[in-house]
């Protein structure tokens, strides 16, 4: 294995051949960002897509009222700013490292040159972007059709599916997010988020721990979504 093993953490890249991974690695630029450092601001001109090699990145937008809304927390292997691939334009959201992070930057022009000569990489990019469209559709549905409880439940179920660890007491979700961060993801206040989580804990659906949430009854949680 080469020094491009980190690319295997990226969905649809992990099935690419060694030669394709080698070619992607050649155009990849690694950058380090300290905690609370902005990678780019919403509205900045963009010419690249990004992958989290190690760390966590917050993707957020600011409403007209000046309130931050967290769209997603990106972790190892996650891609962001891919909406600018091929067409360029302005970044639709702000990206900020919320812990010391290593980020892989792929310039749009370099990716375009690569996929013109590599069908396998082209297919991987297409599948990755199609998956992201599905995720965006879920986010839109959550924001448009569900109340705060429903959106909270949906986010907890997503966390459980993507990073949950099955244990004797249920599915454990390690959270390095504050109640305010969770509230911003849901689009509600911190106080309301605290009430929702406390109520779910009281009902025995989840168990709140200092840095984790244990989903004790997945079926009950699904029935609330």
């Amino acid at each position: 294995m080469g020094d491009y093993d980190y690319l295997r953490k990226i969905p649809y890249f992990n099935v690419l051949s060694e030669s394709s991974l080698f070619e992607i690695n050649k155009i990849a630029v690694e950058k380090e960002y300290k905690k609370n450092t902005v990678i780019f601001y919403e509205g900045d001109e963009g010419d690249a897509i990004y992958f989290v090699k190690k760390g966590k990145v917050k993707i957020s937008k600011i409403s007209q009222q000046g309130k931050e809304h967290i769209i997603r927390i990106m972790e190892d292997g996650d891609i962001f700013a891919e909406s600018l691939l091929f067409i360029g334009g302005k970044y639709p959201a702000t990206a900020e490292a919320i812990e010391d992070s290593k980020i892989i930057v792929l310039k749009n022009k370099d990716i375009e040159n690569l996929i013109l000569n590599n069908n396998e990489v082209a297919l991987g990019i297409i599948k990755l972007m199609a998956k992201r469209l599905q995720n965006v559709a879920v986010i839109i549905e959550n924001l448009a059709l569900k109340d705060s409880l429903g959106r909270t439940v949906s986010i907890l179920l997503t966390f459980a599916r993507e990073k949950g660890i099955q244990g004797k007491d249920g599915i454990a979700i390690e959270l390095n997010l504050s109640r305010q961060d969770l509230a911003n993801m849901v689009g509600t206040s911190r106080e309301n988020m605290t009430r929702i989580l406390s109520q779910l804990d009281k009902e025995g659906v989840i168990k709140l721990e200092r840095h984790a949430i244990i989903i004790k009854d997945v079926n009950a949680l699904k029935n609330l979504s």
Side-chain angles (χ1 to χ4, degrees):
M1 303 294 285
D3 58 0
Y4 42 81
D5 293 350
Y6 67 92
L7 291 172
R8 296 194 180 280
K9 294 182 180 179
I10 299 170
Y12 301 110
F13 281 11
N14 57 8
V15 295
L16 296 182
S17 65
E18 291 291 315
S19 60
S20 290
L21 292 176
F22 178 75
E23 292 299 321
I24 295 173
N25 186 64
K26 285 201 301 186
I27 64 172
V29 177
E30 181 178 319
K31 294 186 177 181
E32 296 188 5
Y33 293 89
K34 293 294 185 182
K35 181 179 180 179
N36 298 328
T37 300
V38 172
I39 299 170
F40 55 75
Y41 286 98
E42 178 180 355
D44 286 350
E45 290 291 335
D47 63 351
I49 64 174
Y50 300 76
F51 298 95
V52 181
K53 183 176 183 180
K54 183 175 179 59
K56 287 184 174 64
V57 173
K58 175 177 68 176
I59 308 297
S60 64
K61 292 178 71 72
I62 302 297
S63 70
Q64 292 183 344
Q65 293 74 33
K67 182 178 180 180
E68 179 187 53
H69 176 66
I70 297 177
I71 299 173
R72 191 172 178 187
I73 302 297
M74 299 295 179
E75 299 183 332
D76 296 7
D78 284 337
I79 178 178
F80 57 102
E82 74 280 12
S83 62
L84 272 60
L85 185 60
F86 306 128
I87 60 174
K90 300 180 184 297
Y91 291 118
T94 296
E96 177 185 349
I98 56 175
E99 66 181 39
D100 292 350
S101 302
K102 293 182 179 180
I103 306 298
I104 300 299
V105 183
L106 299 177
K107 293 289 187 179
N108 287 354
K109 59 180 177 61
D110 293 331
I111 296 176
E112 291 171 15
N113 290 334
L114 177 57
I115 66 176
L116 286 174
N117 299 294
N118 190 313
N119 292 335
E120 187 183 46
V121 173
L123 183 59
I125 291 286
I126 290 170
K127 287 182 176 180
L128 191 151
M129 296 185 74
K131 181 64 175 177
R132 179 62 76 238
L133 284 174
Q134 291 178 339
N135 291 339
V136 169
V138 171
I139 291 172
I140 292 173
E141 179 186 7
N142 287 344
L143 291 175
L145 302 178
K146 297 183 178 180
D147 60 13
S148 296
L149 172 61
R151 293 196 298 270
T152 300
V153 168
S154 180
I155 286 174
L156 291 177
L157 289 172
T158 298
F159 283 163
R161 183 174 62 253
E162 293 182 350
K163 62 190 72 175
I165 301 174
Q166 184 67 54
K168 62 178 182 178
D169 296 326
I171 301 175
I173 307 169
E174 291 189 16
L175 285 182
N176 293 321
L177 302 175
S178 67
R179 292 290 184 267
Q180 185 63 63
D181 287 338
L182 282 173
N184 289 345
M185 294 183 76
V186 169
T188 189
S189 66
R190 181 178 61 81
E191 292 77 14
N192 194 34
M193 172 57 63
T194 298
R195 283 194 293 269
I196 290 171
L197 293 177
S198 296
Q199 184 62 32
L200 292 174
D201 182 280
K202 183 179 179 180
E203 293 174 358
V205 178
I206 67 173
K207 179 181 179 183
L208 296 176
E209 297 189 346
R210 184 170 183 180
H211 295 298
I213 294 177
I214 310 297
I215 298 179
K216 299 175 64 177
D217 191 336
V218 174
N219 289 330
L221 198 61
K222 288 180 178 178
N223 289 336
L224 295 171
S225 62

